Amino acid sequence: ARRAFPPLERRRTRRLASPRAMSDVDAAPSSAPSREIQYDAVGRVIARGVDESRARAKARAARDRPKPLKLVVEIDGARGLPRDVHRVHATVNVEPSEKANASSHGFATSYEEAPVRYAMERQRQKSRGVVRDAQREAAVKTTFEVYVTDVSLNDVVRASVFRGSGAKEGETNDVKMRYALGTCEILARRVPTIEAGEPARWIELNHELRVPEKLGQLKFQCYFDHEIDGMLRVKVVSAHGIKGSDLSGLSDPYVVVKLHRVNESRAKIKALAVASGDAFGHHAVKDSFRTETVEKTLDPVWNETFEFERVDRGSESYVTFELWDHDMVGDDDLLSQYAVRVREIKAARPMDTHAAIRDVEWRQLTTKLECLGKVNVIAYFKDDARTDLRIIAARAMDLSAGDVFGTSNAYAEVMCGTQLHATAPHAGTKDPVWNHAMKFTVATERKSSAADVVAIRVYHLNRQGKSLFMGCAKISVDRLLTERDGGAKRSFWLALVEEKQPVCAIDLRMRVYVASEEPAERPVVEESDCAKENVHARLYYDATYARARRLVRAREKAAVVAASDKEMAFHTSLAETIESRLRDFKWPEDLVPAYARAYAACCDDPMLLPPPPDGMKLPSDVIKMFEAAAFSRVESDRRRAP
């Protein structure tokens, strides 16, 4: 999806004439907190504008095609950069925030037929600057012009500062190069017009949120037999988009299904053993199964069914699915896992809704947790002397999963200098709420750099009582306001990053405004002004690529519909045949349709056929029909296989 920016967008990016000397206000140290910048509840900057301005109303009222507004972002420098950074570049992107649905937004670009995903990608521009070693400032001076139409409540203008490098974004696994040095979000609906005369301001940047690793999907079926008490049936269907572990980028995956028995009732297990004919417990039950290994693929298909006997449905037992990569040399690699509690599994027939195939995401391993999510704190000085520091650890969101069930038992440790406070653990959630108030004493003359930073570390407390590191967020004490200046009303949303990451002290001087109250007209570029290769690239993107993508999606949808129709026709024909044979054997008329449909649904696996009613007999030719249908299906799949 990452393509080179079109030539028309490059023409819109212009640099200012010459870097001007920074004024006394510009040269102020980054430690001075800003009292004029306002933030909303989730930490986004609120510009001094009017919500839903007249220009937006005019753009929405257009009956034909909504005309865009020209949103201008002026960047006039960055300061507070780390010591190991020598070149930086800034990016500006208008896009939905995390809570918004990207598919419901119509961003306008120079190519109006483009999908939203690529429209947002093309709106991003870049500017580069060299860092001055003495002041740790960068002369990043440029102007971005973005054309937008429907702006929703959650759309933001995101400005980010990256390290300067020859590598493209996403082409390196180094955390320093993959994530931005700092980023900020400004609400797009609260951007003022140029007539408001808002000056450029220094805006504080924070660390960029870490993106979780994609581990793929798992499809499985899990239910208790409705007739045999304590019989748990698990079917591992397939996986999709799993992690590639070999040098070729592929894997040789297989799945290990385990039943972990926890706090089962002895009386219940003994009753189940007696009901199965093994009153003395001579027959040992099996609690672990393994599928076959599928070689060299990221989308394996297994379709294997396993049975766990004598399972107490009311216990705290759980079933785990472990995805392994088979290696010819050395030990196999554990890629991901998933778990489901036994008490959440229902008793059902194979075709009931409670026995439907589940499509879930593989979960990360709990041995080493990723630094994901963000933490919300309120930090301010109670007195004007800036010695009585008050911190409220409010909550966290989107943390890593600390256990196999996708939840965590998270708590936070807040440290300032040598003083340490901790919250109580919040179990069973990835979005813990603590609301823990703390008090620190800060010296007016701080001798160490540790006293200048408030560090919030989040840990997961596992069942063995061991704390696993989940991420760290740091904020400079010099950025905190006093209670008189409104510090108690401002909360910080800080991204959880690695422990070695320094505190983000970067400020970006920028100005965001709407160029005019009237809807803007996009500049038209004559073909004579463009080179032939540029014209070809624009036409290729707008016409060929978009049309090919639509055709591929249409073919995939048609193939799925055709396969579903063929499957439905096969089952309907088989059910009609079975229904006529059951009537020949004098089955009750009220039971014939239901049993015919149930038998037709189990044609792929004759072992799952429900027993006939009392006094009734299943025709032998129907049983042979099931075996022939299953054999025909297997042979058909084998022929279609490459």
Side-chain angles (χ1 to χ4, degrees), residues 316-319 339-345 403 405 407 463:
E316 298 180 4
S317 303
Y318 57 95
V319 180
V340 58
R341 293 183 174 87
V342 166
R343 61 172 177 264
E344 299 175 356
I345 304 174
D403 53 28
F405 303 109
T407 60
R463 294 186 176 182

Side-chain angles (χ1 to χ4, degrees), residues 166-188:
K168 297 180 180 179
E169 293 180 34
E171 293 185 358
T172 176
N173 294 325
D174 189 1
V175 176
K176 290 185 178 181
M177 304 303 300
R178 184 170 44 176
Y179 293 106
L181 293 171
T183 182
C184 70
E185 294 182 350
I186 302 175
L187 287 173

Side-chain angles (χ1 to χ4, degrees), residues 627-641:
E627 296 175 352
F631 179 79
S632 175
R633 185 65 55 84
V634 172
E635 286 294 314
S636 178
D637 294 342
R638 186 181 63 82
R639 294 191 189 96
R640 286 197 299 264

Side-chain angles (χ1 to χ4, degrees), residues 51-299:
D51 193 7
E52 198 65 28
S53 65
R54 288 179 294 169
R56 294 178 179 83
K58 291 181 180 179
R60 289 177 178 272
R63 295 184 178 180
D64 47 355
R65 182 188 294 273
K67 294 185 178 180
L69 300 174
K70 185 167 74 171
L71 187 67
V72 181
V73 181
E74 296 179 354
I75 295 181
D76 195 19
R79 66 186 181 187
L81 297 167
R83 291 290 179 184
D84 58 342
V85 176
H86 304 288
R87 286 182 175 273
V88 296
H89 69 267
T91 65
V92 172
N93 192 17
V94 181
E95 61 182 24
S97 63
E98 299 174 3
K99 298 182 180 180
N101 184 10
S103 61
S104 62
H105 296 69
F107 289 97
T109 60
S110 58
Y111 314 125
E112 298 182 358
E113 300 296 330
V116 176
R117 185 157 62 100
Y118 296 104
M120 290 187 294
E121 184 71 21
R122 278 202 303 274
Q123 287 178 3
R124 184 169 57 189
Q125 311 273 342
K126 286 187 177 182
S127 65
R128 300 185 181 274
V130 180
V131 181
R132 306 190 201 120
D133 291 334
Q135 297 86 4
R136 305 312 303 166
E137 299 172 354
V140 183
K141 299 177 181 294
T142 188
T143 301
F144 303 108
E145 296 179 356
V146 181
Y147 293 84
V148 298
T149 51
D150 296 332
V151 181
S152 74
L153 292 173
N154 291 312
D155 292 341
V156 293
V157 179
R158 179 176 288 110
S160 304
V161 176
F162 291 86
R163 292 173 181 265
S165 173
K168 297 180 180 179
E169 293 180 34
E171 293 185 358
T172 176
N173 294 325
D174 189 1
V175 176
K176 290 185 178 181
M177 304 303 300
R178 184 170 44 176
Y179 293 106
L181 293 171
T183 182
C184 70
E185 294 182 350
I186 302 175
L187 287 173
R189 289 174 69 97
R190 300 299 296 270
V191 174
T193 58
I194 192 173
E195 288 81 3
E198 286 292 321
R201 303 181 184 276
W202 288 104
I203 298 180
E204 302 170 357
L205 304 186
N206 294 316
H207 284 293
E208 185 181 5
L209 285 175
R210 299 309 191 235
V211 180
E213 184 181 10
K214 298 296 184 181
L215 300 176
Q217 304 288 125
L218 167 66
K219 289 186 177 181
F220 70 97
Q221 189 180 26
C222 192
Y223 63 95
F224 277 98
D225 194 292
H226 72 291
E227 293 182 348
I228 305 176
D229 193 15
M231 177 64 71
L232 176 61
R233 301 184 187 275
V234 178
K235 182 178 181 180
V236 182
V237 181
S238 62
H240 174 69
I242 65 175
K243 181 180 178 181
S245 180
D246 298 337
L247 296 178
S248 61
L250 303 176
S251 296
D252 303 324
Y254 65 90
V255 176
V256 176
V257 186
K258 296 181 181 179
L259 172 63
H260 302 263
R261 299 179 182 269
V262 182
N263 296 336
E264 287 189 329
S265 173
R266 293 185 178 180
K268 179 64 175 179
I269 297 301
K270 185 175 181 180
L272 293 175
V274 172
S276 63
D278 187 19
F280 298 99
H282 296 305
H283 174 64
V285 295
K286 190 175 181 180
D287 292 341
S288 179
F289 297 92
R290 169 182 165 170
T291 66
E292 295 292 334
T293 301
V294 183
E295 297 182 354
K296 296 183 180 355
T297 181
L298 297 180
D299 303 312

